[in-house]
Amino acid sequence: MRKLITALALVVLAQANMQILHAQETKRVPALREQVYSQLARAQELADNGDVTAGLAALKNVESKLSSMNSYERAMLWNFYGYMYYGKDQLAEAIQYFAKVVDEDPIPDALKQNTLFSLAQLALGQGDYAATLEYLDRWQQVVGDDQAQKADVLRAQALYQKGDYQRALKPIQRAIASAEENGGAGDENWYVLQRAIHYELEQTAAVATVLEKMIKHFNKPEYWVQLAGVYGQLGNDEQQLAMLEAAYQQGFLTKGQDLQMLVQSYFFGGIPYKAGKVMEQALAEGKLEADLRNLKLLAQSWIAARETDRAVAALEQAAELSNDGELDAQRAQVLLNAERYPQAIAAAETALAKGNLEKPGTMHLVIGMAELEQENYNPALQAFAKAKAFDDARKAAAQWERYATSEKEQAERIKQLQAS
């Protein structure tokens, strides 16, 4: 900090020395006399050597002769006070003295411009946004419209902090457009600010556009994830999945919530096998917790991908965390469809034992169908009879019961024929 202040002060002194020669040529400004200049330089030297207190005392000695000083000399005195207090991190005092600089008249335009801009920056840092805008307005009156872009970012920041998002948008857009004119890029924080303004204005499509630029210029993992989320808000599911998949391939998806978003995008995008693979790996690496929600999604992915063994394993694991038999019931259905009849019966019986099933009659149907496929007619008929007691399965159970009875009778006739 001290080196910065010293450099700034030396620049001011150098400018002051030049103004002694040229002030009268550009503006009717009184000259900075050599006697005052040397005293200010002495004060600065003391501060540079680490004795800021002595430097301030030297400035106080100069101030005692204030009545004999002209406007330019007084302005330079306040300027050095401001820099010294700034170097001590006493910002309130620094602002107070810098404000006294621009209140002096006449003074060189360069001094006035630089000080007004510094005041705007300091006011912004102090959270005084109204003062920031006031100083920027005064600065622009001095420099004219040609240099307005220099203050655009400060103006946008102040307006954003004030909550005036609509007015904040134009200056930050102008600053970025100027930086991008020749294929370059603005500062990263400018894009962050523009994105925040569009977000507050609920301009989601514009947020996406800014994030696309941020990926192009800065390529940070979080921008890929954020853009994917915005695409999701816009209903652009294919673009969301493309962004997430590209980010995943680059190793950018490291957080559990981001991996879960990718899994869901794969699943709902009709790519369940990839959903299962990503979820399986995330669970194995501990990036996602093996909780009921994640295990259910894993099981659903494997079911949709027709990976029976993996689906059954996931359902078994999830069922251990559940207080009802629904997941065992789902496992029974998967096993029945895979023609694993003894396992389907065992799973259905487990589901009924756990209870709290939304459709308990369906499990009796599963048992009946699995027994029937194994030509166990009596157990099948018993299961269908139980299923008929439940509204959710009564109609189907009656149909299966008739079919099972017919199959049983036919099997008995064949048996009799073979025995005769």
Side-chain angles (χ1 to χ4, degrees):
M1 175 70 76
R2 185 178 302 281
K3 290 181 180 179
L4 172 63
I5 300 307
T6 299
L8 288 169
L10 290 174
V11 168
V12 170
L13 276 173
Q15 290 176 338
N17 197 29
M18 293 298 295
Q19 288 288 349
I20 293 174
L21 301 175
H22 301 296
Q24 295 296 334
E25 297 177 11
T26 58
K27 184 178 180 180
R28 302 192 63 177
V29 175
L32 175 60
R33 290 170 293 178
E34 179 62 31
Q35 181 181 3
V36 177
Y37 170 81
S38 61
Q39 292 178 55
L40 293 175
R42 173 58 182 161
Q44 185 61 49
E45 182 182 359
L46 290 169
D48 290 347
N49 291 331
D51 196 346
V52 179
T53 302
L56 287 169
L59 291 180
K60 197 71 176 175
N61 182 58
V62 177
E63 188 179 356
S64 67
K65 305 164 186 173
L66 199 63
S67 60
S68 64
M69 296 167 64
N70 62 46
S71 59
Y72 186 16
E73 292 167 339
R74 290 193 300 270
M76 292 301 296
L77 171 63
W78 309 138
N79 200 48
F80 273 84
Y81 265 126
Y83 278 123
M84 286 194 190
Y85 279 118
Y86 183 73
K88 293 179 68 176
D89 290 328
Q90 293 180 230
L91 300 186
E93 289 82 357
I95 291 173
Q96 175 186 344
Y97 278 103
F98 285 137
K100 288 167 71 75
V101 172
V102 295
D103 284 342
E104 294 289 349
D105 189 64
I107 60 174
D109 284 345
L111 176 60
K112 192 168 188 177
Q113 291 172 19
N114 293 338
T115 306
L116 283 169
F117 203 82
S118 296
L119 279 166
Q121 292 174 309
L122 288 170
L124 182 65
Q126 294 292 89
D128 191 345
Y129 309 119
T132 301
L133 294 170
E134 179 187 348
Y135 286 128
L136 287 175
D137 287 341
R138 290 174 63 183
W139 174 84
Q140 192 166 345
Q141 288 174 8
V142 177
V143 301
D145 292 337
D146 291 343
Q147 298 185 47
Q149 290 181 347
K150 179 180 177 181
D152 280 339
V153 176
L154 281 184
R155 191 180 302 278
Q157 288 174 330
L159 289 166
Y160 174 79
Q161 294 295 339
K162 279 188 68 181
D164 194 345
Y165 307 121
Q166 193 62 57
R167 287 180 61 207
L169 186 56
K170 186 174 181 179
I172 196 62
Q173 286 177 325
R174 189 165 54 228
I176 290 174
S178 177
E180 292 179 343
E181 273 183 5
N182 299 315
D187 186 87
E188 185 174 355
N189 288 331
W190 300 2
Y191 296 89
V192 172
L193 177 59
Q194 186 183 13
R195 180 193 59 188
I197 293 170
H198 284 305
Y199 176 81
E200 294 293 345
L201 292 171
E202 298 182 356
Q203 297 171 342
T204 310
V207 172
T209 300
V210 175
L211 281 166
E212 288 166 359
K213 288 185 178 183
M214 294 172 79
I215 288 172
K216 174 184 176 182
H217 295 313
F218 312 110
N219 197 34
K220 288 188 175 179
E222 59 266 32
Y223 300 150
W224 288 78
V225 176
Q226 290 167 12
L227 181 55
V230 174
Y231 281 150
Q233 294 175 35
L234 291 169
N236 299 335
D237 297 334
E238 291 184 4
Q239 287 179 285
Q240 180 184 38
L241 177 54
M243 289 300 301
L244 288 171
E245 188 169 40
Y248 182 68
Q249 290 172 354
Q250 295 176 82
F252 289 166
L253 300 188
T254 56
K255 296 179 181 177
Q257 61 187 21
D258 299 337
L259 290 165
Q260 195 170 61
M261 190 191 310
L262 174 60
V263 171
Q264 291 172 340
S265 292
Y266 273 139
F267 183 79
F268 293 111
I271 315 174
Y273 183 80
K274 284 190 174 182
K277 288 292 288 183
V278 173
M279 176 65 83
E280 191 173 66
Q281 184 175 348
L283 291 171
E285 294 174 351
K287 293 179 180 177
L288 279 172
E289 185 181 353
D291 57 18
L292 186 57
R293 178 189 176 190
N294 289 331
L295 289 171
K296 277 185 175 181
L297 182 54
L298 176 62
Q300 291 299 323
S301 298
W302 290 137
I303 290 170
R306 301 189 181 185
E307 291 282 334
T308 303
D309 290 339
R310 286 167 157 170
V312 168
L315 286 167
E316 283 181 328
Q317 194 176 355
E320 293 177 1
L321 304 177
S322 177
N323 295 323
D324 58 45
E326 289 294 343
L327 291 169
D328 293 294
Q330 194 172 359
R331 181 164 57 93
Q333 292 274 16
V334 171
L335 289 165
L336 179 66
N337 293 337
E339 300 181 358
R340 299 182 185 181
Y341 304 124
Q343 292 174 278
I345 292 169
E349 289 174 343
T350 300
L352 288 167
K354 278 189 178 180
N356 296 320
L357 295 173
E358 185 178 345
K359 295 180 178 180
T362 302
M363 287 301 94
H364 292 292
L365 279 175
V366 168
I367 293 171
M369 286 185 282
E371 294 286 14
L372 181 59
E373 289 292 340
Q374 299 176 89
E375 300 182 357
N376 298 326
Y377 300 113
N378 288 334
L381 288 167
Q382 291 171 6
F384 293 141
K386 290 179 181 178
K388 287 167 65 178
F390 298 92
D391 292 340
D392 63 285
R394 183 173 294 116
K395 184 176 179 180
Q399 292 172 342
W400 277 105
E401 186 179 50
R402 289 193 296 271
Y403 177 73
T405 299
S406 174
E407 288 292 301
K408 179 184 178 184
E409 291 173 350
Q410 184 177 353
E412 288 175 347
R413 284 195 297 271
I414 293 171
K415 188 176 180 181
Q416 289 173 358
L417 289 171
Q418 289 174 342
S420 61

